[in-house]
């Protein structure tokens, strides 16, 4: 299913021109229009899923495999020093376009493209409580 009002549906399905670096029946991979670094790409499913909670498990698995394929190729051709794979869900986590997508961000030594986060200091008791709640 596609959402006619979704910009990423339009990008993934060719309704809006992109700088595509890969395409198959289920995905389009495009260069981000506002990149964090040279080579920053987005994996876009052609079907609409708002976030990771909605995406079909099989499609999610294919997206992860595609991320690995793209990263290995980009690392070779761009000569980057590392990679971030980023996927945001919901506004509180930084999602601004509500169509599942994965950011593939090549990293170059000293680029400062993504800031380190502040680390919490939790007591052993707090960690145990969280762990107990989160066990599957």
């Amino acid at each position: 299913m596609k959402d006619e009002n979704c910009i990423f549906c339009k990008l993934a399905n060719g309704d809006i021109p992109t700088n595509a670096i890969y395409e198959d029946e289920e995905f389009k991979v495009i260069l981000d229009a506002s990149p964090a670094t040279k080579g920053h790409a987005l994996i876009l499913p052609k079907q609409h899923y708002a976030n990771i909670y909605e995406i079909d498990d099989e499609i999610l698995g294919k997206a992860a495999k595609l991320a690995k394929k793209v990263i290995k190729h980009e690392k070779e051709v761009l000569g980057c020093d590392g990679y971030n794979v980023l996927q945001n869900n919901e506004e509180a986590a930084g999602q601004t376009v509500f169509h599942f997508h994965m950011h593939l961000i090549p990293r170059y030594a000293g680029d400062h493209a993504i800031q380190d986060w502040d680390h919490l200091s939790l007591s052993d008791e707090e960690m145990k409580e969280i762990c107990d709640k989160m066990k599957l």
Side-chain angles (χ1 to χ4, degrees):
M1 163 178 94
K2 297 172 192 140
D3 180 340
E4 296 301 321
N5 297 314
C6 174
I7 186 84
F8 278 10
C9 281
K10 292 176 182 178
L11 293 168
N13 289 285
D15 299 329
I16 297 173
T18 63
N19 288 309
I21 61 172
Y22 176 86
E23 184 171 7
D24 64 23
E25 293 175 2
E26 296 168 312
F27 299 97
K28 185 178 268 191
V29 181
I30 65 171
L31 293 180
D32 193 304
S34 299
T37 64
K38 182 178 77 173
H40 179 172
L42 301 175
I43 295 179
L44 305 175
K46 291 184 175 181
Q47 295 298 313
H48 185 80
Y49 308 96
N51 49 44
I52 200 167
Y53 315 120
E54 292 184 7
I55 193 168
D56 178 81
D57 288 347
E58 184 178 332
I59 299 297
L60 179 60
K62 288 180 179 181
K65 288 179 182 178
L66 179 54
K68 180 180 177 181
K69 177 179 182 172
V70 172
I71 287 168
K72 287 175 73 173
H73 175 71
E74 282 197 351
K75 188 160 174 37
E76 183 178 307
V77 299
L78 296 176
C80 57
D81 301 307
Y83 247 94
N84 287 110
V85 177
L86 182 64
Q87 200 281 312
N88 302 323
N89 296 283
E90 301 187 81
E91 191 174 338
Q95 187 178 12
T96 58
V97 179
F98 296 91
H99 178 112
F100 176 92
H101 57 286
M102 295 174 75
H103 292 263
L104 308 178
I105 305 172
R107 298 302 302 274
Y108 304 89
D111 66 21
H112 305 290
I114 298 174
Q115 295 181 10
D116 291 335
W117 56 77
D118 293 330
H119 295 270
L120 292 176
S121 180
L122 299 174
S123 69
D124 290 344
E125 186 176 288
E126 289 171 308
M127 289 292 281
K128 181 174 178 3
E129 180 181 333
I130 294 167
C131 182
D132 289 344
K133 285 181 182 179
M134 291 181 63
K135 286 186 181 176
L136 297 175

